[in-house]
Amino acid sequence: MATEKCFAKGSPAPGPVPKGRLRLYSMRFCPFAQRTRLVLNAKGIKYDTINIDLQEKPEWFLEKNPLGLVPALETSAGEIIYESPITCEYLDEVYPEKKLLPSSPFGKAQQRMLLEHFSKVIPYFYKIPSARRNGEDVSNQEIELKEKFAKLNEHLEKKTTKFFEGDTITMIDYMMWPFFERIEVLELKHCLDHTPELKKWTERMLEDPAVKITMFNMDTYKAFYKSVAEGKPDYDLGL
Amino acid sequence: NFSERCRAEGSPAPGPVPKDQVRLYSMRFCPFAQRTRLVLHAKGIKFETINIHLKQKPDWFLEKNPDGLVPVIETPAGEVVNESVITSVFLDEVYPEKKLLPATPFGKAQQKMMLEHFSKITPQLFKISSARRKGDDVSGLEAELKEKFTSLNEYLVKRKTKFFGGDTITFIDYMMWPFFERLGMFEVQHCLDHTPELKKWTELMLEDPAVKATMHSTENHKTFYNNFLDGKPDFDYGL
């Protein structure tokens, strides 16, 4: 009796996670949760999703996970793992098929360093749209974002690979993707104008099966972000 | 053989890293670099240190690490790893003796989640000390810090363990330690007054050989930090 509709305060607690299954606590439009969903799908892991109403979090959820964040994983042993990069590394370690991280320590370190760099780019995806809504001038921030995209572009140019760390998708591509998926609706697509390799990377990512399963289209995001701006996020939009 | 004195702009580039060791680029008073030094000592890894003048960085250092920050680890193969946590994990993965991270994926995830919680404390320490310097009222900030210390204390009480990952020192203890070593420097040691388990933990940490090998006294920390805040850091203080 799986529903995609989100669970809010007052909702009944779900039972324990059945043996051999994994549970994901998520929100359909959250870019951080999408990272975990990408990894789950890319690796073919069997999982059940419980979406959470992030404005009215259920008490039972806060008991399991005091920070109340999504994404969070729960195993049949009752172990809870949260923070998107931690969930993703955990999944890659537990499920050996279709490894997304390299096996060498240096290869792993390279992925983690790239992720650290990218974590400095993410705030722009929030800052700029919010400043624009307040009628502020965003031109300086857009310049900074373009510089950051130029660095990413350089990385691809230097490596001459199709994806960030090779010719097949690896963990770092999935960790970055959700933000690029939202770039058009956030009105930041023009910041990619002078980064052709980065643009090509986004086109390749759009062909990936895990991306196709987890993505939403522009119209859906537009409607969701509108509901957020109006103060009443519609987590169940489209259901 | 290598002097501890820091190398500045214009200094000659060091040669390649000798085959049987790793090289650490560091700064003697940096808490983030101390994390990596703790791991190197705890695991008995052979290493050489090059301290960097952080206000006049050598060009050859910026070529290896454009971010220009320490700590950085360089291997004989010329692999460069930066970011304190990433270097520490890298070392634990490359050198199998005296593992600091647990062997299980969930054990590793737990340590990473704890580190994520702790990472919210570090900026507060700097905030409090800079606010105090300006003559602002820090009671609100100190109250927040005490709450965070209380959470850490509760964690130790619940688990009934001496250290954060069990009854022996593990990764998370070393990642947290440098900031607790500096509580006197930040003038917040009184914030431990009502957290006896956390206080006990600091006393146990002070007995650890790796801590003893890498620490400075509160007096030395204070002198360095005050010079640093005055814009006249003496990276070679005490040599």
Side-chain angles (χ1 to χ4, degrees):
Chain A
M1 249 232 25
T3 173
E4 281 190 83
K5 286 190 184 271
C6 66
F7 284 54
K9 219 185 255 179
S11 61
V17 179
K19 274 214 168 2
R21 300 292 289 190
L22 195 58
R23 181 181 294 157
L24 169 70
Y25 297 101
S26 186
M27 189 277 278
R28 290 159 63 239
F29 304 106
C30 173
F32 297 95
Q34 189 181 6
R35 289 170 154 178
T36 316
R37 288 163 59 226
L38 283 163
V39 171
L40 286 161
N41 281 285
K43 292 175 69 70
I45 298 166
K46 291 212 179 329
Y47 69 104
D48 304 308
T49 304
I50 291 187
N51 289 309
I52 300 292
D53 184 325
L54 298 181
Q55 293 210 316
E56 301 282 324
K57 294 171 189 176
E59 304 84 344
W60 54 259
F61 183 61
L62 293 169
E63 265 169 55
K64 283 180 200 289
N65 177 17
L67 290 182
L69 302 171
V70 295
L73 292 170
E74 186 175 357
T75 69
S76 53
E79 300 156 328
I80 303 271
I81 301 115
Y82 50 79
E83 291 293 329
S84 59
I86 302 177
T87 60
C88 293
E89 287 208 356
Y90 170 83
L91 290 171
D92 207 48
E93 287 166 11
V94 173
Y95 297 88
E97 304 78 24
K98 306 231 186 92
K99 278 278 183 222
L100 293 173
L101 280 171
S103 48
S104 70
F106 183 59
K108 289 201 240 283
Q110 286 179 305
Q111 294 249 345
R112 291 165 181 154
M113 288 188 281
L114 258 172
L115 182 62
E116 184 61 35
H117 274 172
F118 186 70
S119 71
K120 300 185 171 91
V121 181
I122 295 174
Y124 288 90
F125 287 92
Y126 290 89
K127 274 199 291 195
I128 296 177
S130 141
R132 230 188 248 125
R133 270 199 305 272
N134 290 342
E136 290 163 33
D137 173 23
V138 296
S139 40
N140 281 338
Q141 293 187 71
E142 287 194 354
I143 289 174
E144 286 171 16
L145 183 58
K146 285 180 190 163
E147 274 171 29
K148 291 195 146 44
F149 282 175
K151 283 241 157 80
L152 293 175
N153 197 71
E154 234 178 84
H155 181 105
L156 287 166
E157 271 180 344
K158 260 205 286 200
K159 285 203 76 131
T160 70
T161 49
K162 296 205 194 127
F163 300 96
F164 272 89
E165 286 294 311
D167 282 320
T168 52
I169 288 186
T170 62
M171 184 68 84
I172 186 63
D173 302 290
Y174 285 135
M175 300 304 278
M176 293 170 51
W177 174 251
F179 300 93
F180 287 94
E181 185 172 303
R182 292 153 176 75
I183 206 170
E184 194 175 347
V185 74
L186 295 174
E187 295 175 83
L188 293 170
K189 198 166 186 187
H190 60 285
C191 295
L192 285 176
D193 283 350
H194 303 289
T195 53
E197 295 308 314
L198 192 53
K199 235 192 207 170
K200 267 186 248 166
W201 171 81
T202 66
E203 290 155 16
R204 285 180 208 122
M205 288 300 284
L206 283 164
E207 295 177 15
D208 176 72
V211 167
K212 286 184 181 176
I213 292 175
T214 61
M215 70 179 294
F216 288 101
N217 62 29
M218 252 280 274
D219 288 335
T220 308
Y221 280 129
K222 251 196 176 146
F224 176 70
Y225 281 118
K226 183 158 182 280
S227 74
V228 172
E230 288 166 359
K232 284 206 69 189
D234 185 1
Y235 301 119
D236 294 339
L237 183 87
L239 291 179
Chain B
N1 24 25
F2 270 5
S3 161
E4 281 190 83
R5 290 193 168 272
C6 68
R7 306 207 187 175
E9 210 172 341
S11 63
V17 179
K19 283 234 175 310
D20 62 340
Q21 55 194 277
V22 290
R23 179 182 293 156
L24 169 71
Y25 298 96
S26 185
M27 190 277 281
R28 291 164 55 245
F29 297 96
C30 174
F32 297 95
Q34 189 182 3
R35 287 170 154 174
T36 315
R37 292 163 58 223
L38 284 163
V39 171
L40 286 162
H41 280 279
K43 293 177 68 73
I45 297 168
K46 191 155 182 234
F47 72 102
E48 61 186 26
T49 304
I50 291 185
N51 290 309
I52 300 294
H53 192 300
L54 296 181
K55 291 280 182 196
Q56 295 163 28
K57 296 169 189 178
D59 288 334
W60 50 258
F61 178 64
L62 293 170
E63 267 169 47
K64 289 183 200 284
N65 178 27
D67 290 343
L69 303 172
V70 294
V72 175
I73 288 282
E74 186 177 1
T75 69
E79 299 157 328
V80 175
V81 182
N82 64 357
E83 292 292 332
S84 61
V85 177
I86 300 177
T87 56
S88 302
V89 175
F90 171 76
L91 291 169
D92 204 49
E93 287 172 359
V94 172
Y95 294 89
E97 304 79 23
K98 309 232 185 90
K99 277 283 181 215
L100 295 174
L101 278 167
T104 65
F106 182 60
K108 291 201 234 289
Q110 280 181 307
Q111 295 242 344
K112 292 170 187 171
M113 288 186 278
M114 274 191 272
L115 184 58
E116 188 60 35
H117 278 276
F118 178 73
S119 71
K120 304 189 165 81
I121 295 184
T122 352
Q124 280 198 282
L125 295 169
F126 291 101
K127 247 205 271 185
I128 290 174
S129 108
S130 98
R132 204 186 271 116
R133 248 191 166 225
K134 279 197 278 180
D136 293 343
D137 173 24
V138 295
S139 46
L141 289 171
E142 285 194 352
E144 275 179 52
L145 185 65
K146 284 180 192 162
E147 268 176 41
K148 294 200 149 57
F149 283 176
T150 300
S151 284
L152 291 177
N153 198 74
E154 262 167 41
Y155 187 86
L156 288 171
V157 170
K158 246 202 321 196
R159 288 193 61 138
K160 301 202 184 69
T161 53
K162 294 198 204 143
F163 300 98
F164 279 93
D167 279 321
T168 52
I169 289 188
T170 61
F171 182 83
I172 184 65
D173 302 291
Y174 285 133
M175 294 300 106
M176 291 170 56
W177 173 252
F179 301 93
F180 282 92
E181 183 176 306
R182 290 160 176 73
L183 290 188
M185 177 189 98
F186 288 120
E187 295 176 86
V188 293
Q189 57 283 55
H190 59 281
C191 294
L192 281 182
D193 283 350
H194 302 289
T195 52
E197 301 308 317
L198 190 56
K199 226 190 209 172
K200 251 185 259 167
W201 172 81
T202 67
E203 290 156 14
L204 287 170
M205 289 300 284
L206 283 164
E207 294 175 13
D208 176 71
V211 167
K212 287 184 181 174
T214 61
M215 68 178 294
H216 291 286
S217 66
T218 293
E219 280 320 298
N220 284 350
H221 276 307
K222 272 190 168 162
T223 305
F224 173 78
Y225 193 49
N226 282 322
N227 290 335
F228 177 80
L229 290 174
D230 285 337
K232 293 192 231 143
D234 183 3
F235 300 115
D236 293 337
Y237 178 71
L239 288 180

